């Protein structure tokens, strides 16, 4: 009877060791199988775990598919199973019945080491894959930024004599939002640096215990190097200059971290120096003057501390005004500088509630806000309307946004369209030395069209017709070919918010007296273009995490202010705090128009 | 029987009274005036750039109709404005919140002055100014109910008329006063007879 039982047990053992069984034993763990009698299934458990790990770091020879990426939950599960196996091996070793002990120790050491190495390899690959994803995102982000900069550069400059002004100055000229573009570049630069620092010292050969990895060059190095070069190229395009070393592969191989740091310092110093000189950021936040080689590393926090202009040009301070490029800065808590049609600077307190502006700045500095739309790229569309033509001017902005090429060629002469002679609001022909720019000319064309269609009231005999009249609201965008305007009279605030958040440009009608905090303009209606919205990301006060909309799964947001282009003041990209905006909007029928 | 006598007496004492219209919702007049240019028919007639005047009550059993002038105000933020003579007019219904009619006035607008508001208002800060603007709408809505009821005025009504006129005249555009009078002479003469205050006659 006993011999029969021994035979059955032996057969069972043979079955379990057979490759044809449901699970087969990896040769590496065969020595552990000698102790099956003490812990049945132990060697198979080692083999099963290795079999699960293998696809995540050793590609099949006949497969062109990329390696799968493990999830954090999978890794946690494998870690737990490995720990359990190691505990079981310790129990087996503790059994006094096992002989010889040294063989057992060796078998389990080798088995445990193999599992640990494979697990580490999987974790490395997972980390690598995630870093590659991050790098991919960064590359996309950089491509978007390059596109934005290229697009901004291609648009007509709002500044006079564009050729003599650096692009960086031009970005500054659109105010706070020009700073946002620079921030994005700085932010990307930092991320590239971080990636370089993260990858530094990580080489495949240090973890290639399984023999599946035979390359020693980190393939991400090349991509990081390429990104670093793109950062510097953009920096140069913006007029940043500097003496940053070229982020070539050799430099990265020999010391990626140092090369990145030096490049970063140089970029930031050069850009920040110019921003500081122009009064855009506070003195000192640039990290001091000097070359890349003798400045201390710049902390990210310092760089993120983007300051509002500390100096607002006064009417008498023409030198300071020139630093602003002749174009307005966004309203800040200190007030607002406005260059009137007579060319003189006017100081205004456009904010009904300066505290609201401060709160927005604070929330922005904490990273709790998000901007939808594109107030930066759209700011240069604005221009000074001539006469009561805000409605027409907003239409020109739409046209420009859809066909920028049309507005690229500067006017070379004051040649009039015989069917639409150009006159200013007072009926005077243009000064030959001061031709209207393409947008003013286009506005004039729309004015003629509105008159011809009978949409513009007033008499042809009235020399001030263009100035003391305007377009009734119903005809907004009617003059733009193919615009097919969608009107929303008496709209709800949430409708406007949803529309602007979707990214489109929207014409709204506001009470300019409230918009400009100027009582003399009360009761009028003024068409402006909303180019974006800044929102607060709603967070859970307990966890600090964004609250998600149960319907969309996206973070809940609430508007803090709308970005506007105002042709009444030749002002682009001004952020109007939400309460002031809503007061101005609701005081004029709270309607808006969107070109479909 | 005694109750019936009392009721009859009360009815005969107020034989000239109109049926009192239900009061307008608070802020109804302000909303109607502010949104008129965005709604037809005004949205096809009145240019956006024209400013609205203060509303003047019209004789209306419902006490909900007001007339408004539209006039150009040109200029730029921070600069003294140029006020022009009215170029359009409209009637709004404060109960429905909609404009009833809008029309252009004949002739080109004429430049009237470089100041829009009464000099005394310049001393007010912007918050006070906005509050006083709201008060004009509120008092206009209130006086319209009394004007349209055509009842024998009580002392409280006289007080209301005086306080309306005070609010109106503190913010009425000085150069537009003749135009205000022409909007509804009957109202201004009623006000003069009821409370002893009004704007000068102008025809």
């Amino acid at each position: 009877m006993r011999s029969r039982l021994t035979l059955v047990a032996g057969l069972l053992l043979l079955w379990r060791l057979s490759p044809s069984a449901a699970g087969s034993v990896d040769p590496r763990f065969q020595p552990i199988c000698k102790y099956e009698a003490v812990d049945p299934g132990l060697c198979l458990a080692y083999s099963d775990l290795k079999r699960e790990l293998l696809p995540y770091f050793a590609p099949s020879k006949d497969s062109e598919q990329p390696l799968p990426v493990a999830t954090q939950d999978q890794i946690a599960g494998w870690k737990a199973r490995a720990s359990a196996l190691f505990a079981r091996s310790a129990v087996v070793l503790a059994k006094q019945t096992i002989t010889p002990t040294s063989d057992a120790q060796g078998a389990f050491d080798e088995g445990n080491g193999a599992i640990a190495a494979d697990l580490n390899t999987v974790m490395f690959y997972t980390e690598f894959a995630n870093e590659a994803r991050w790098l991919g995102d960064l590359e996309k982000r950089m491509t978007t930024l390059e596109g934005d900069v290229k697009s901004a550069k291609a648009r007509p400059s709002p500044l006079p004599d564009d050729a003599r002004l650096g692009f960086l100055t031009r970005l500054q000229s659109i105010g706070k939002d020009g700073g946002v573009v620079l921030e994005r570049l700085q932010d990307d630069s930092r991320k590239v640096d971080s990636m370089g620092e993260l990858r530094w010292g990580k080489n495949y050969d240090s973890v290639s215990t399984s023999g599946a990895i035979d390359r020693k060059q980190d393939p991400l190095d090349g991509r990081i190097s390429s990104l670093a070069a793109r950062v510097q190229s953009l920096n140069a395009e913006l007029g940043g200059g500097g003496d940053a070393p070229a982020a070539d592969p050799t430099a990265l191989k020999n010391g990626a971290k140092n090369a990145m740091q030096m490049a970063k310092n140089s970029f930031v110093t050069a850009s920040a120096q110019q921003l500081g000189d122009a009064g855009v950021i506070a003195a000192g936040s640039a990290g001091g003057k000097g070359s890349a080689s003798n400045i201390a590393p710049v902390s990210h926090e310092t760089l993120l501390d983007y300051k509002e202009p500390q100096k607002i040009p006064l009417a008498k301070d023409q030198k300071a005004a020139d630093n602003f490029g002749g174009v307005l800065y966004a309203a800040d808590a200190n007030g607002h500088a406005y260059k009137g049609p007579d060319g003189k600077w006017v100081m205004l307190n456009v904010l009904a509630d300066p505290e609201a502006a401060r709160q927005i700045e604070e929330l922005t500095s904490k990273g709790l806000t998000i901007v939808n739309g594109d107030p930066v790229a759209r700011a240069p569309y604005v221009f000074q309307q001539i006469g009561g033509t805000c409605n027409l001017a907003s239409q020109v902005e739409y046209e420009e946004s859809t066909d920028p090429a049309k507005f690229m060629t500067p006017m070379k002469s004051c040649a009039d369209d015989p069917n639409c002679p150009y006159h200013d609001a007072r009926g005077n022909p243009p000064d030959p030395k001061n031709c209207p720019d393409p947008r003013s000319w286009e506005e004039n064309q729309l004015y003629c069209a509105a008159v011809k269609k009978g949409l513009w009231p007033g008499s042809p005999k009235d020399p001030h017709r263009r100035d003391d009249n305007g377009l009734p609201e119903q005809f907004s965008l009617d003059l733009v070919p193919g615009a097919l305007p969608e009107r929303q009279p008496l709209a709800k605030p949430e409708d406007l918010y949803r529309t602007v958040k979707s990214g489109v440009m929207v014409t709204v009608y506001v009470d300019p007296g409230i918009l400009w905090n100027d009582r003399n303009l009360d009761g009028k209606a003024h068409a402006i273009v909303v180019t974006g919205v800044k929102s607060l990301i709603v967070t859970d006060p307990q966890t600090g995490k964004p609250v998600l909309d149960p319907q969309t799964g996206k973070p809940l947001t609430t508007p803090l202010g709308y970005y506007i282009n105002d042709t009444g003041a030749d002002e682009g990209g001004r952020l109007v705090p939400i309460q002031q905006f809503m007061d101005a909007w609701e005081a004029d029928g709270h309607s808006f128009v969107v070109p479909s | 029987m005694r109750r019936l006598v009392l009721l009859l007496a009360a009815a005969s004492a107020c034989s000239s009274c109109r049926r009192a219209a239900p009061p307008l919702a608070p802020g109804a007049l302000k909303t109607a005036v502010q949104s008129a240019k965005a709604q037809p028919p005004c949205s096809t007639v009145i240019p956006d750039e024209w400013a609205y005047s203060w509303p003047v009550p019209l004789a209306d059993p419902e006490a909900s109709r007001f007339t408004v002038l539209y006039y150009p105000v040109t200029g730029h933020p921070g600069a003294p404005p140029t006020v022009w003579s009215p170029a359009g007019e409209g009637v709004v219904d404060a109960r429905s919140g909609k404009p009833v009619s809008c029309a252009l006035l004949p002739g080109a607008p004429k430049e009237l002055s470089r100041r829009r508001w009464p000099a005394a208002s310049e001393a007010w800060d912007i918050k006070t100014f906005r509050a006083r603007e709201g008060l004009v709408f509120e008092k206009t809505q209130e006086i319209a109910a009394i004007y349209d009821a055509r009842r024998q005025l009580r002392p409280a009504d006289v007080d209301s008329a005086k306080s309306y006129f005070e609010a109106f005249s503190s913010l009425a555009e000085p150069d537009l006063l003749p135009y205000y009078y022409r909007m509804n002479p009957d109202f201004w003469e009623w006000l003069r007879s009821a409370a002893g205050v009004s704007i000068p006659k102008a025809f």
Side-chain angles (χ1 to χ4, degrees), chain A residues 1 37 66 84 126 161 215 268 298 314 351 388 399 455 505 540 577:
Chain A
M1 182 65 183
T126 304
D161 203 354
R215 288 171 299 178
V268 168
V298 184
L314 301 172
L351 290 169
E399 286 191 89
L455 305 179
M505 286 166 66
D540 185 328

Side-chain angles (χ1 to χ4, degrees), chain A residues 35 143 153-154 206 232 346 358 421 474 493 539:
Chain A
Y35 309 103
T143 302
K153 196 173 184 179
S206 66
Q232 290 183 65
V346 183
R358 287 197 194 92
Q474 185 69 27
T539 52

Side-chain angles (χ1 to χ4, degrees), chain A residues 390 468 519 522 524-525, chain B residues 49-50 73 116 124 130 133:
Chain A
C390 54
D468 58 27
R519 66 187 77 180
D522 280 8
K524 295 177 62 163
Chain B
E49 301 272 345
W50 290 352
V73 177
R116 189 173 175 193
W124 303 339
R130 301 261 183 256
E133 283 184 315

